[in-house]
Amino acid sequence: MDTRLMALLVCPICKGPLTHDHEAHELHCAADRLAFPIHDGIAVMLEAEARAIEDPASQPPPLAE
């Protein structure tokens, strides 16, 4: 995404800043723990399309081999 566009985009729910996850093609809102998808270079800023971001601290540790 264009860095100028990223400076203008905010979370549609809390109006807070977003971070760009390049690998997952998503915009993340840390305050609401939501990830908004990016399809074909266009951010889908709809609450219904967002997915909840799991809290790594609440997940069980990986099994030891």
Side-chain angles (χ1 to χ4, degrees), residues 1-2 9-10 20 24-25 27 33 36-37 48 51 53-55 60 63:
M1 289 201 88
D2 184 10
L9 287 177
V10 295
H20 187 190
H25 301 289
L27 297 177
R33 308 287 305 152
F36 298 93
R51 70 171 182 85
I53 299 173
E54 301 274 334
D55 185 11
L63 298 174

Side-chain angles (χ1 to χ4, degrees), residues 1-61:
M1 289 201 88
D2 184 10
T3 55
R4 293 175 289 166
L5 179 59
M6 277 301 301
L8 296 174
L9 287 177
V10 295
C11 175
I13 299 158
C14 71
K15 309 301 184 241
L18 298 168
T19 57
H20 187 190
D21 183 341
H22 296 277
E23 292 179 10
H25 301 289
E26 296 176 326
L27 297 177
H28 291 185
C29 175
D32 292 322
R33 308 287 305 152
L34 291 174
F36 298 93
I38 300 172
H39 297 295
D40 297 323
I42 300 170
V44 182
M45 304 300 290
L46 300 171
E47 185 176 3
E49 295 291 321
R51 70 171 182 85
I53 299 173
E54 301 274 334
D55 185 11
S58 68
Q59 294 181 1

